[in-house]
Amino acid sequence: MNKQKRHEIFSRLRDNNPSPTTELNYSSTFELLIAVILSAQATDVSVNKATEKLFAKANTPATILKLGEDGLKKYIKTIGLYNSKAKNIIKTCEILLQQYGGEAPNDQKALESLPGVGRKTANVVRNTAFGEPTIAVDTHIFRVANRTGLSPGKTVLEVEKKLLKVTPDEFKKDAHHWLILHGRYTCIARKPRCGSCIIEDLCEFKDKVID
């Protein structure tokens, strides 16, 4: 795929959604961090239902620590892998209080060192909370990047690095959100909605589904 086509793809995505953001509900960087940790292998809808009640009760490292692991589980038990996520969140809260004054740091390595936080989660937090031009690659973005020909790669890391290289600077800050939303609602896994896709004529997918 050439530069002109990539630029046009992102231009159309921007025109369609000028101010994209995460579908996770949060009111602080810490809340976002917790929500993203919980969202692994879970839907944003399920996470939002759980955090609505959790954050009303505890939305800082100190208040979540007061809940304790068992207390936290009561709020997140509807989310997959809640046992391990509760354990990781408690440990993360302890580290944030001990090392970062209770605040989520804007540093990739520091975030990745937190229990339950991998490269993708760190990228999401830095992009969404701090406006950094990072691109977190999840299953949706991996699929869109490969299917469209925008940034094909065999691994998540390969796709991420290639996206960062080929995405024009003017689009990098919002690229993550545009691509994930496109994969979530249009370029879906089983039967992509090519007929209603705003970049269908630019996409290099050979098996398009036109209704």
Side-chain angles (χ1 to χ4, degrees):
M1 182 175 287
N2 60 44
K3 292 181 180 179
Q4 291 75 18
K5 191 178 285 188
R6 288 193 183 97
H7 192 280
E8 179 62 20
I9 284 175
F10 282 114
S11 292
R12 291 187 192 180
L13 293 174
R14 179 175 62 187
D15 290 344
N16 185 61
N17 187 0
S19 302
T21 188
T22 179
E23 293 186 315
L24 291 169
N25 296 331
Y26 71 99
S27 60
S28 69
T29 302
F30 174 73
E31 286 187 4
L32 175 65
L33 174 62
I34 298 305
V36 179
I37 291 174
L38 291 172
S39 71
Q41 299 183 45
T43 65
D44 287 359
V45 172
S46 67
V47 172
N48 287 337
K49 286 181 179 179
T51 57
E52 181 180 9
K53 295 179 180 179
L54 171 62
F55 293 157
K57 177 70 176 181
N59 67 343
T60 66
T63 53
I64 285 183
L65 279 179
K66 285 184 180 179
L67 289 178
E69 194 173 320
D70 289 337
L72 176 58
K73 286 179 183 179
K74 294 178 182 178
Y75 289 94
I76 65 173
K77 61 184 179 181
T78 55
I79 298 174
L81 306 175
Y82 73 93
N83 283 313
S84 60
K85 288 177 180 178
K87 185 177 294 185
N88 286 333
I89 287 172
I90 292 297
K91 289 180 180 177
T92 285
C93 288
E94 291 174 347
I95 293 172
L96 291 178
L97 286 170
Q98 292 169 2
Q99 300 182 25
Y100 302 104
E103 301 291 336
N106 180 12
D107 181 87
Q108 189 76 15
K109 289 184 178 180
L111 285 168
E112 286 186 39
S113 71
L114 298 172
V117 179
R119 184 179 182 88
K120 184 189 76 173
T121 297
N123 276 330
V124 171
V125 172
R126 293 188 67 224
N127 176 258
T128 305
F130 298 107
E132 299 289 346
T134 61
I135 301 177
V137 178
D138 69 347
T139 54
H140 295 300
I141 295 178
F142 185 79
R143 180 176 64 255
V144 171
N146 277 284
R147 184 182 275 168
T148 62
L150 183 67
S151 171
K154 294 182 178 180
T155 67
V156 167
L157 184 58
E158 184 180 350
V159 169
E160 179 192 330
K161 288 182 176 179
K162 194 173 292 185
L163 274 174
L164 287 170
K165 183 178 180 180
V166 303
T167 302
D169 289 344
E170 64 181 293
F171 302 116
K172 279 183 181 175
K173 178 178 175 292
D174 294 319
H176 162 76
H177 295 301
W178 286 322
L179 294 176
I180 195 172
L181 292 171
H182 191 68
R184 186 173 288 168
Y185 298 110
T186 302
C187 195
I188 57 179
R190 292 186 179 181
K191 188 180 179 182
R193 297 165 179 153
C194 302
S196 59
C197 176
I198 61 174
I199 60 170
E200 184 273 327
D201 58 312
L202 302 169
C203 172
E204 297 181 355
F205 184 44
K206 295 179 180 179
D207 301 313
K208 293 176 183 175
V209 181
I210 308 297
D211 295 329

